[in-house]
Amino acid sequence: MTAAHRPGESPLRIPAPPMPPAIEAIFTTPPARASRTPEAPPVQAPAPVTITIDGIEVSVPSGVTILDAARAQGLDLPTLCYLENLAPVNVCRICVVEVTGSRVLVPACSRKVEAGMEIQTESERVRHSRKLVLEFLGSSVDLSLAGEREPDGDLARWAERYGADASRFGPPSEPAAAGVRDAHEPGHHHAPEGAEAAFATSIAQPVKVDNELYVRDYSKCILCYKCVEACGEDAQNTFAIAVAGRGFDARISTEWATPLPESACVYCGNCIGVCPTGALMFKSEHDMREAGTWDGSAQTVTETICPYCGVGCVLDLHVQDNTIVKVTSPMDSSVTEGHLCIKGRFGFEFTNERRRG
Amino acid sequence: MDLHVIGPLASPVERAAVDTVLGSAESGWTGGQRDARNDGHVARGGHAARARRDLLLPALHALQDRVGQITQPGLNYVCKRLSVPPAEAYGVATFYALFTTTPRASAVAHMCDDIACRLAGAEEVCKDLQRTLGPAGSPARDGTMTWLRSPCLGRCELAPAALVTVAGESPIRRELAPIDAVGIIGALEVALNRGADAAPRATASGPAAVTASVPQAGDSGLRLLARIGTTDPTSLDDYRAHGGYVALRNAIAMGAVATTREVTDAKLLGRGGAAFPTGRKWAAVAVQPAQPHFVVCNADESEPGTFKDRVLLEADPFAVIEAMTIEGFATGASRGFLYLRGEYPLAEARLLGAIDTARAAGLLGVDVAGSGWAFDIELRRGAGAYICGEETALFESIEGKRGEPRNKPPFPVEAGLFGKPTAVNNVETLANVLLILGNGDGVGGGARFATLGTEGSTGPKLFCLSGHVARPGVYEVPFGTTLRELLELGGGVPGGRAIRAILLGGAAGVFVGPDALDVPLTFEGTRAIGASLGSGVVMVFDEAADMVGTLRRIAAFFRDESCGQCVPCRVGTVRQEELLARLADPTPGKAPRSRADELALLADVGRAMRDASICGLGQTASSAIESAFRQPELVGL
Ligand SMILES: Cc1cc2nc3c(=O)[nH]c(=O)nc-3n(C[C@H](O)[C@H](O)[C@H](O)COP(=O)(O)O)c2cc1C
Ligand code: SF4
Ligand code: SF4
Ligand code: SF4
Ligand code: FES
């Protein structure tokens, strides 16, 4: 026992303040109703603040983020860990901008504007950090599918814009054997010695295929925390996955890297929906990519309503060769905000069972 | 959320260990005995269980201390008790280096191989350990013991240092310094064979030990260190006889606002590294409308080369408790948390004793010193993570989460611990508060305090002198003392060797050369030469010192201690370490680029970490390394 705690209670749990005296007149007659519905109280529009973005003075509503303000001006700021329907975690640092008076760069995706702020979104300092972030990711993570997918836009385009060249750090190290990265303990890494140091340590590892619905290829994981947020607080409230380990060994994991079927996962697929790099992928898509039959250009997207229950979630059916290959939901749908449950997400296999004979 | 828990049930031993912290389980809902009649109709746990999430780390400590590992059944039981999803709890357990989720021998020697201990031959000790016990981490002696490398253990003045932990019914944690392989193995054997009581306390607590850490102990001019070695750290009476609890009485008499004004007038700047004005911080918390307010003492001291807080905590624990009480009074808080790094068991014992004694004497609790104001202090033990010294990571850790720093703003004075206004201060900062509010013989009054030191750096200052000096230890000098004078106090470099470099401010600081010996040790003086005082580290490297090895150890430190949250630091620290390894071993044909290109790349990495990282760890991870390469004669590459 750590002597700091008494069983059951820490010494500090100061007793709750006494309850206010019970309200006696609970059963009084309510006042007569107004003859018409009262008007909603006027909502005060947030007072606009004036800021300067890239030398141009603009007026924006107070309380918006620098990213909102910049995008409203038509500026193209890169983001990776940001998503409209999740709480900003500001960890990827690709959206950083320079704010006059701030010692360090600030993340546009989470920092709120303040009156008089002077912001530079493409200064040399900003460009340097964005370039290095892209090189850090490019040299440690498989970004091959990070460009294609909505909504995070085009990594390759940014790499070009910022002159990022991940090969500056050397060729990537060999993939780790299955389970090795899952077992790394904090504080005890293997320091590069001799010839090892010529390689850029990467997180390459085998794909985790442990169920029939979706696969996890953590070689492609940039640790943007989106799947954790979608699985937990921000959407699904299941908390099947979390970040484990520390530093470069940090990873998305179930407890003890338990295979998904034994974990708390309910296969809502909301983590797949938010993953910006293709690390989380429908097994159908993964298998077709392995077989070389995946062809995005030959696919159509059909919008429909999920047939299973009365909620009425909007589904986007991705169809190739008259077969549903995956299901998503539009981020801007007021019903789903992009999130579904197992039925809408994966319950399409029966459509592929064509009646024989 | 549906709590989904898989795997075998916790053993009675595991449950008992967890119950020492959480009390026994009340119903089947929270992992206790299931009573179909009562449990079947009413759901228990839920919100009430989740409200105790901050007991997650203490519960994990209890498991680790008892069974030597965070086992899956044990963790499951904790999850049920606190209603924490297992994936999340696993994420917490795997964040802290003193917890292990894989089977490990019950007796572990954590051997410090960090920069100061390296200078004192830690690598030789590691080689000896490897010869006798096998490679680090491998089970030895029938799986009963093992050894691991550890980052700085905060005993640099007595280097090389080790920490021995033995799990069991009466768990043992013991600091050993200076120590060799024979001593370490002996300590492991004794602890395994005879249990807690029999093993000699290697860190002596008598006067001899204090002089070894504080060479000035007993000098009449000392203020911060006045009680070190002269006052019994376990006796409240002795503490009072040496001026203790005068400051609290004065503070209560003058009221919260006046107390804060004295601290502001003293122009006291925080000693934890960021040099923020303490009075301003207190005043900002005091006026926050949100309630309750919290105070936190940051005793996580893990910056390599830093040990001043440890000396204060071990040898003057009541002072820290009294100063926290004053801080609570001034900021309108009713609870204080003392976050102590897990590698300081002696300090922990002393502090727990001091808290209990103070509470028994009515100096903590519902009516502090008869003032009618309620305040109490709880000690929380860290679990091996340098990043938890960063104030917002520290809050996360107390709240039972991974120690990942938060984005600022909002700042802690507005939204800190549990999202409430929080004043967090370093141990040494708090020690200064007692001088400000004490009576004339100490310092007495903010205005008088402000006359000490220099205009921009008021008061006395503690420095952690280590490395190649004759008398390493904690030294108290007025701000403005030059580096040369400090080194002379420490007896200079032994053997008459020349100084090659001095590390100022720790691994997050900078190297300076012998040409900087006349810099006045003040916030402004060090800033003027592009250095910083940081946590007060002054580590001396003589002409024969292995600078390249030192730099690589610093790079490895940041690689290990990065929380991993943000890209620039998570990957940048890895690339920095690889670059150093390449620069240190420039075999022709092996390096892909010219040396100049490699150095440019190193600078690119450093700049991005400094500019774009979330917290101070990433922002300073390249500081010392880059400073060394700016002065090639220091590095000798
Ligand atoms: C990576 C990192 C580690 C830190 N470690 C410590 C520490 O061990 N002790 C400490 O007092 N402050 C530490 N700090 C500084 C704290 O964040 C904070 O500024 C300090 O506790 C405030 O107290 P002060 O104003 O009394 O200095 C650390 C900061 C960073 C960025
Ligand atoms: S599928 Fe749903 S429940 Fe499973 S890990 Fe992903 S978000 Fe969590
Ligand atoms: S798996 Fe995808 S969503 Fe999850 S952290 Fe990695 S990149 Fe982000
Ligand atoms: S700078 Fe490093 S330690 Fe700080 S938040 Fe980023 S990854 Fe974590
Ligand atoms: S998008 Fe802002 S930090 Fe990732």
Side-chain angles (χ1 to χ4, degrees):
Chain A
M1 163 181 167
T2 67
H5 304 285
R6 301 295 168 281
E9 195 154 50
S10 62
L12 283 199
R13 271 157 221 285
I14 286 165
M19 296 291 286
I23 303 160
E24 277 162 20
I26 287 180
F27 300 111
T28 51
T29 323
R33 265 200 209 172
S35 53
R36 74 189 160 78
T37 328
E39 304 258 318
V43 180
Q44 211 154 18
V49 294
T50 305
I51 59 173
T52 314
I53 304 184
D54 293 344
I56 299 168
E57 214 170 86
V58 295
S59 178
V60 297
S62 66
V64 303
T65 62
I66 295 177
L67 181 68
D68 294 333
R71 287 194 170 160
Q73 301 307 308
L75 294 172
D76 178 22
L77 258 60
T79 58
L80 282 172
C81 64
Y82 174 77
L83 199 61
E84 284 75 0
N85 60 355
L86 301 174
V89 288
N90 55 246
V91 295
C92 78
R93 316 305 280 183
I94 199 162
C95 68
V96 287
V97 295
E98 194 166 348
V99 173
T100 307
S102 168
R103 187 174 45 86
V104 291
L105 302 177
V106 307
C109 64
S110 65
R111 177 63 66 84
K112 302 241 164 65
V113 295
E114 288 157 32
M117 235 182 199
E118 283 175 40
I119 300 155
Q120 284 175 281
T121 66
E122 281 287 330
S123 67
E124 191 272 331
R125 250 180 108 189
V126 167
R127 293 179 60 88
H128 178 85
S129 281
R130 290 195 188 148
K131 168 181 159 158
L132 266 288
V133 164
L134 287 165
E135 291 178 340
F136 285 153
L137 289 176
S139 61
S140 55
V141 182
D142 170 6
L143 296 176
S144 55
L145 295 184
E148 284 178 30
R149 304 171 79 96
E150 291 296 329
D152 278 300
D154 195 336
L155 264 195
R157 179 167 62 90
W158 292 330
E160 199 172 319
R161 192 207 278 183
Y162 297 111
D165 171 13
S167 71
R168 293 206 290 163
F169 295 112
S173 62
E174 286 291 302
V180 169
R181 268 189 65 80
D182 292 327
H184 280 170
E185 299 240 314
H188 300 284
H189 77 287
H190 169 76
E193 286 296 336
E196 286 172 336
F199 296 91
T201 310
S202 85
I203 59 162
Q205 58 193 301
V207 186
K208 288 186 199 291
V209 185
D210 55 15
N211 66 86
E212 283 304 310
L213 300 182
Y214 79 102
V215 304
R216 298 173 291 154
D217 182 1
Y218 288 129
S219 302
K220 297 194 176 78
C221 174
I222 60 168
L223 218 67
C224 70
Y225 287 59
K226 281 179 183 171
C227 54
V228 177
E229 290 204 297
C231 184
E233 228 137 76
D234 285 0
Q236 183 56 31
N237 218 29
T238 289
F239 301 91
I241 48 176
V243 182
R246 189 168 82 193
F248 194 74
D249 303 318
R251 57 207 178 255
I252 307 294
S253 182
T254 55
E255 64 274 20
W256 270 271
T258 305
L260 279 181
E262 279 117 72
S263 78
C265 175
V266 296
Y267 298 100
C268 63
N270 292 330
C271 51
I272 315 173
V274 296
C275 180
T277 63
L280 307 178
M281 190 184 272
F282 275 67
K283 180 137 187 310
S284 46
E285 175 175 350
H286 172 74
D287 290 348
M288 288 173 75
R289 283 183 185 274
E290 292 282 283
T293 55
W294 181 264
D295 181 2
S297 63
Q299 290 171 10
T300 57
V301 177
T302 303
E303 188 178 305
T304 183
I305 304 286
C306 177
Y308 282 102
C309 81
V311 171
C313 294
V314 182
L315 303 184
D316 278 344
L317 306 178
H318 299 246
V319 178
Q320 181 180 335
D321 297 333
N322 210 22
T323 301
I324 299 173
V325 291
K326 72 171 170 186
V327 178
T328 59
S329 181
M331 201 80 63
D332 56 5
S333 156
S334 60
V335 181
T336 67
E337 292 192 351
H339 305 307
L340 295 170
C341 81
I342 182 172
K343 292 170 287 183
R345 182 81 67 183
F346 292 109
F348 55 80
E349 269 304 313
F350 70 92
T351 65
N352 296 338
E353 292 293 320
R354 305 285 144 68
R355 197 166 289 165
R356 275 168 227 126
Chain B
M1 177 200 54
D2 266 346
L3 205 61
H4 177 93
V5 170
I6 53 161
L9 292 176
S11 69
V13 168
E14 290 162 340
R15 295 165 71 98
V18 173
D19 288 352
T20 58
V21 176
L22 302 180
S24 44
E26 278 156 18
S27 80
W29 289 94
T30 52
Q33 202 65 40
R34 203 180 132 73
D35 171 357
R37 255 180 329 158
N38 291 326
D39 289 357
H41 303 285
V42 186
R44 291 173 220 275
H47 184 76
R50 280 192 288 282
R52 300 205 300 167
R53 168 73 184 256
D54 62 295
L55 293 179
L56 179 57
L57 244 67
L60 293 181
H61 270 303
L63 267 178
Q64 179 73 42
D65 285 353
R66 181 64 187 87
V67 291
Q69 184 201 341
I70 309 296
T71 58
Q72 188 165 7
L75 186 67
N76 283 345
Y77 180 62
V78 176
C79 289
K80 280 195 187 162
R81 297 297 315 278
L82 298 177
S83 188
V84 178
E88 222 176 283
Y90 180 74
V92 174
T94 53
F95 185 87
Y96 296 94
L98 290 181
F99 297 145
T100 175
T101 49
T102 48
R104 184 184 282 172
S106 62
V108 185
H110 302 264
M111 176 66 208
C112 178
D113 68 349
D114 218 322
I115 43 180
C117 284
R118 285 184 94 251
L119 296 179
E123 278 307 319
E124 279 65 50
V125 181
C126 288
K127 281 203 191 97
D128 290 345
L129 286 171
Q130 171 142 6
R131 244 193 318 276
T132 18
L133 299 180
S138 64
R141 309 276 164 93
D142 301 325
T144 56
M145 60 173 75
T146 189
W147 72 285
L148 293 168
R149 289 171 179 268
S150 166
C152 180
L153 289 171
R155 299 207 160 254
C156 320
E157 82 280 21
L158 303 169
L163 171 77
V164 162
T165 58
V166 185
E169 219 162 326
S170 21
I172 300 168
R173 288 182 299 142
R174 185 145 298 149
E175 300 141 296
L176 310 166
I179 195 73
D180 56 12
V182 176
I184 289 174
I185 294 167
L188 287 171
E189 279 169 347
V190 169
L192 273 173
N193 293 341
R194 286 191 275 154
D197 309 325
R201 181 170 282 290
T203 308
S205 47
V210 170
T211 348
S213 295
V214 185
Q216 294 168 310
D219 283 9
S220 56
L222 296 178
R223 294 184 168 102
L224 292 169
L225 300 176
R227 277 181 293 265
I228 311 290
T230 62
T231 309
D232 178 357
T234 62
S235 161
L236 177 58
D237 290 338
D238 208 20
Y239 177 66
R240 281 184 147 143
H242 287 84
Y245 279 105
V246 170
L248 177 64
R249 199 183 330 122
N250 289 346
I252 290 176
M254 71 175 80
V257 175
T259 300
T260 304
R261 198 181 318 118
E262 290 297 328
V263 176
T264 308
D265 289 348
K267 296 199 268 177
L268 174 64
L269 300 182
R271 309 295 201 233
F276 190 85
T278 305
R280 187 130 58 89
K281 189 183 287 185
W282 290 16
V285 172
V287 300
Q288 291 292 324
Q291 293 287 341
H293 297 177
F294 291 106
V295 297
V296 170
C297 172
N298 188 341
D300 193 50
E301 187 170 70
S302 309
E303 180 71 45
T306 316
F307 44 91
K308 61 184 176 68
D309 294 348
R310 189 204 85 229
V311 165
L312 291 174
L313 296 162
E314 285 177 354
D316 203 5
F318 285 103
V320 182
I321 302 307
E322 181 187 355
M324 279 185 76
T325 312
I326 294 173
E327 184 178 20
F329 178 72
T331 56
S334 55
R335 285 178 77 179
F337 286 86
L338 196 160
Y339 189 90
L340 179 72
R341 75 177 295 198
E343 293 86 345
Y344 283 177
L346 177 61
E348 181 175 322
R350 294 267 165 84
L351 287 163
L352 288 173
I355 292 172
D356 280 347
T357 312
R359 195 179 296 124
L363 295 164
L364 289 175
V366 287
D367 179 17
V368 172
S371 64
W373 164 67
F375 181 76
D376 215 326
I377 296 175
E378 190 170 337
L379 186 147
R380 288 301 171 94
R381 197 207 294 175
Y386 164 65
I387 188 57
C388 289
E390 198 281 338
E391 52 196 14
T392 59
L394 190 157
F395 301 151
E396 294 283 305
S397 185
I398 292 180
E399 291 176 19
K401 303 182 188 141
R402 297 163 55 79
E404 293 176 355
R406 300 175 185 165
N407 195 39
K408 290 189 261 187
F411 290 95
V413 293
E414 222 177 281
L417 185 61
F418 303 114
K420 299 296 181 189
T422 305
V424 45
N425 276 118
N426 167 261
V427 174
E428 184 190 346
T429 313
L430 289 173
N432 279 287
V433 166
L434 295 188
L435 302 184
I436 295 167
L437 293 161
N439 281 350
D441 48 341
V443 172
R448 270 186 72 182
F449 185 92
T451 62
L452 301 174
T454 67
E455 182 64 26
S457 311
T458 58
K461 178 76 189 99
L462 299 182
F463 286 98
C464 315
L465 193 55
S466 66
H468 292 138
V469 281
R471 285 187 301 278
V474 177
Y475 286 87
E476 175 182 332
V477 294
F479 269 116
T481 306
T482 65
L483 188 49
R484 187 187 305 279
E485 286 161 353
L486 180 66
L487 294 192
E488 277 162 12
L489 265 181
V493 180
R497 281 191 295 275
I499 293 174
R500 182 154 180 196
I502 298 159
L503 180 61
L504 287 185
V510 301
F511 285 98
V512 297
D515 54 328
L517 279 176
D518 291 313
V519 64
L521 293 172
T522 57
F523 293 116
E524 62 277 13
T526 45
R527 203 179 303 129
I529 61 160
S532 86
L533 288 185
S535 53
V537 171
V538 177
M539 198 181 294
V540 183
F541 297 80
D542 72 15
E543 53 193 337
D546 168 21
M547 294 307 290
V548 175
T550 301
L551 294 182
R552 290 183 67 183
R553 183 63 187 93
I554 290 174
F557 174 80
F558 286 112
R559 153 71 175 85
D560 266 339
E561 299 297 333
S562 163
C563 82
Q565 191 181 191
C566 68
V567 174
C569 170
R570 179 176 77 238
V571 188
T573 53
V574 174
R575 296 293 171 256
Q576 172 170 270
E577 186 185 31
E578 289 162 358
L579 271 157
L580 274 182
R582 292 207 292 271
L583 283 161
D585 180 19
T587 320
K590 210 194 272 168
R593 272 172 307 274
S594 73
R595 188 182 144 79
D597 282 354
E598 293 277 58
L599 285 175
L601 193 53
L602 187 68
D604 273 1
V605 170
R607 185 173 176 218
M609 287 200 282
R610 194 162 54 247
D611 272 354
S613 295
I614 292 180
C615 85
L617 188 149
Q619 288 159 12
T620 57
S622 62
S623 168
I625 291 166
E626 287 192 276
S627 75
F629 280 101
R630 273 198 304 273
Q631 312 163 79
E633 69 284 1
L634 300 190
V635 192
L637 261 175

